Amino acid sequence: MLFSEANQTASSYKVLARAYRPETFEDLIGQEQLVSSLKQALSNGRLPHAFIFSGIRGVGKTTTARILARCLNCETGPTITPCGHCGSCVAIKEDRHLDVIEIDAASRTGVDDMRELIEAGRYKAVSGRYKIFIIDEVHMLSKSAFNALLKTLEEPPPHLIFIFATTETDKIPTTILSRCTRCELKRIDNNTLAKHFADIATRENATISDEAAQIIARASDGSVRDGLSLLDQAITTSDKNVDAQTVNTMLGLMDKATILPFIEQILIADTKQALTLALGFYKNGANPQKIVEDSLEAIHALATFQFGESEEELPSYVISARNDIEHLAKRSNTPQLLAIWEHLILALTEIELSPSPLLALEMAIIRLCQTLKEQQLTSSSPNTPGEDQRKPQGPTQQISTTIAPVTAVSIASPIQDDPVETITVLPKTMEEILNLLIEHKEVLLAEQVRRDIRPIHLNGTTLQIALHTNADNKLGQNLSKALAHITGDSWIIDVQTQSVNPTLLEAQKMQDEALHAKLLSHPLTQSAMEIFPGSDVRTLLKH
Ligand SMILES: [Zn+2]
């Protein structure tokens, strides 16, 4: 009567979790530290009379308890390597060992149940060395049940061993805790879980993609049992061929390509739309961490796309969403992508630390869009008179104020080999020239332009510059050639012997320093530095 429900609970586990339930310490995953101390206790024969195994659900608490029971009662033991086939080992496996009793405290909370159990504990073991009581969810016991238990724990008979399992140690009276050896089972990390799921899929003659195994691992949140239930379901619904799409559909997660419209709103710094889309993902079941992780992956794809990475290097969804990615890659520039990347990395930490991950995500989006807006302003607005004189004068501003806006649209010359680019708006600032070069994958040239050119004046397709002392003396020529190729117009690059104007790189550095100093003195930054000691706001401003 007392023990029938425990058996029922055990048999209602999902098929895979039951079939692959570890039977030895070697089979347990992710609990190396605990296993090593249990082995040590078994080897030196100094066993405590009560253990308490704590940890999240499905992490292996009762499984570890059963392995320990086998170690103690195996006919070849006590041993750290139970044989697995003696009468005792088999009986424990089949939940019918007379001396190994597992009960679920959630359904046996009362003092009478505890008294019945304790009464049974007074008699010596029938077939094994030890009588072992495994009490799952022990925190559910009533106060009087705990009191009844306490008396036995104070003077335990030598043949009796208690193994308590709980998800909530803080609900257990300290009088009980202080009489137990506490063992904490760790939440299992995603890579270990993913590898475990892939192994089990193989043993089930099923295939599973790395991505699918990772998604299941993330969704199971450190719990092997939850993960195995998901894997079970995925193998069944996919007819033994588990891919990311199957798992996403099963979990109600979004298809990764749906992140792209969100990235687009971020790129144009539309805070409201970006927030709406993020909330939509969340309502559809994607957690904030997943939204940020998918965004990071998309940003990485955009950046690699801009640098002309071969298709094999890109995630598969990027190839199928190629047009969207290409569109976004054209609308974005490397500094923007780097800034977004750094903000998203920061957001991951904040989401992890925040009591409300959704709020942390929303605040991160607001901050990111704000930064991008400011970035756009500082790179395009001319200086207004009377503005803070200490603000560094970037070459961009100088050029913008000295020339009238150029709106000329030129028809591409037939030399151009990219058929998509039929019209190109002429760049109006040195920064736009730089972005144009990056967009057209002239990465090395762009770097030289940023580092070695002192811009003096830009008018239409005539650019007056001076070169940094270390510059390649063909830089003017190369730039003229590249711009002609990109815009379809011929360019005159007039190289002067010298100029005091800063290069784009120097201007950016000065701007960063000024902004950094300003931000450091801001009260919000001060409090952020207290929350994240050692953090440097500079890394956020680098771009
Ligand atoms: Zn055995």
Side-chain angles (χ1 to χ4, degrees), residues 56 63 101 103 118 125 190 199 439 441 452 492 517:
I56 59 161
T63 297
I101 291 155
I103 69 161
I118 288 162
N190 288 347
D199 286 348
E439 274 168 32
K441 306 192 173 82
D452 295 335
I492 298 164

Side-chain angles (χ1 to χ4, degrees), residues 70 73-77 82-90:
R70 289 174 139 215
N73 275 354
C74 173
E75 284 163 21
T76 71
C83 73
H85 46 73
C86 70
S88 209
C89 284
V90 172

Side-chain angles (χ1 to χ4, degrees), residues 280-478:
F281 296 148
Y282 183 77
K283 282 183 178 159
N284 285 332
N287 66 34
Q289 189 180 351
K290 169 98 174 114
I291 296 171
V292 174
E293 283 170 358
D294 284 359
S295 302
L296 280 166
E297 203 174 299
I299 293 297
H300 177 258
L302 286 182
T304 47
F305 204 87
Q306 284 186 341
F307 286 91
E309 198 84 8
S310 71
E311 288 205 349
E312 293 81 61
E313 316 262 334
L314 298 170
S316 54
Y317 84 92
V318 171
I319 294 163
S320 52
R322 196 195 161 90
N323 287 342
D324 292 337
I325 296 272
E326 202 166 343
H327 168 70
L328 286 182
K330 277 195 182 132
R331 295 190 63 166
S332 54
N333 57 50
T334 311
Q336 251 180 337
L337 295 181
L338 287 170
I340 297 174
W341 177 270
E342 285 177 357
H343 273 270
L344 290 176
I345 293 283
L346 182 65
L348 270 186
T349 319
E350 290 171 346
I351 286 168
E352 197 184 329
L353 294 177
S354 169
S356 167
L358 180 62
L359 291 192
L361 172 68
E362 290 181 338
M363 289 312 290
I365 292 171
I366 293 169
R367 184 184 55 209
L368 173 54
C369 288
Q370 187 59 32
T371 309
L372 291 176
K373 269 182 210 157
E374 282 164 13
Q375 205 180 42
Q376 281 163 9
L377 282 180
T378 50
S379 67
S380 63
S381 72
N383 273 350
T384 45
E387 214 177 326
D388 190 348
Q389 288 307 302
R390 283 165 302 171
K391 191 177 173 190
Q393 292 266 104
T396 310
Q397 286 87 347
Q398 286 184 343
I399 288 176
S400 309
T401 48
T402 50
I403 59 167
V406 182
T407 47
V409 173
S410 67
I411 305 300
S413 69
I415 310 163
Q416 196 151 359
D417 51 20
D418 185 357
V420 184
E421 288 286 305
T422 47
I423 50 167
T424 303
V425 179
L426 285 180
K428 294 186 283 291
T429 66
M430 199 62 211
E431 286 211 336
E432 285 184 16
I433 290 179
L434 183 70
N435 290 340
L436 205 56
L437 292 172
I438 294 171
E439 274 168 32
H440 288 264
K441 306 192 173 82
E442 293 282 359
V443 184
L444 289 178
L445 184 59
E447 193 45 41
Q448 287 179 313
V449 166
R450 206 160 91 89
R451 194 185 56 208
D452 295 335
I453 284 186
R454 302 188 183 284
I456 301 171
H457 190 77
L458 171 62
N459 188 2
T461 56
T462 304
L463 174 65
Q464 199 176 48
I465 58 167
L467 294 179
H468 190 276
T469 40
N470 298 331
D472 178 349
N473 54 17
K474 280 194 181 152
L475 181 53
Q477 228 174 311
N478 293 343

Side-chain angles (χ1 to χ4, degrees), residues 254-255 257-288 290-292 295 328 358 361-362 365 369:
M254 55 187 185
D255 175 2
T258 58
I259 201 74
L260 296 176
F262 172 69
I263 298 295
E264 182 165 19
Q265 296 310 316
I266 295 281
L267 282 170
I268 60 175
D270 187 334
T271 317
K272 202 173 161 208
Q273 277 303 318
L275 285 173
T276 308
L277 286 173
L279 194 63
F281 296 148
Y282 183 77
K283 282 183 178 159
N284 285 332
N287 66 34
K290 169 98 174 114
I291 296 171
V292 174
S295 302
L328 286 182
L358 180 62
L361 172 68
E362 290 181 338
I365 292 171
C369 288

